[in-house]
Amino acid sequence: MQTACDFLSVNGYKLLWGPGRHGIGHNLFTYHRSPAGLITELFAELDRMKRGTRYFEPRPWHRDNPQRPKSMGQGPLGL
């Protein structure tokens, strides 16, 4: 990840966010803006599951409304 971020940086891709780790897939991520203005996500270490092995039991994304995505409001802070 560090080598890839260094490469992107010297080629004009500005780091926007990260490095961080996504919650659901546990993968590392960074977001970059290309010289053309496009946003690119770089990711690594995504969890891999084999069908039928039951590594993890399903769990809700969040506690207040399980199994449904949250929707954000329209204010500046999503309120």
Side-chain angles (χ1 to χ4, degrees):
M1 181 71 76
Q2 181 178 353
T3 301
C5 286
D6 288 345
F7 177 83
L8 290 172
S9 176
V10 298
N11 286 285
Y13 285 72
K14 294 183 179 182
L15 181 66
L16 293 177
W17 189 267
R21 192 172 286 277
H22 286 306
I24 294 176
H26 305 111
N27 54 307
L28 296 171
F29 71 88
T30 55
Y31 289 97
H32 305 264
R33 185 175 305 278
S34 75
L38 302 173
I39 295 176
T40 302
E41 178 182 7
L42 176 67
F43 64 92
E45 298 184 4
L46 187 64
D47 284 350
R48 295 179 69 183
M49 309 293 222
K50 290 185 178 178
R51 191 180 301 255
T53 57
R54 301 180 56 82
Y55 284 125
F56 300 103
E57 291 297 319
R59 60 182 185 256
W61 291 359
H62 45 83
R63 292 184 181 144
D64 57 329
N65 197 2
Q67 301 299 327
R68 292 188 177 88
K70 287 189 175 211
S71 60
M72 304 305 272
Q74 301 207 6
L77 299 175
L79 302 174

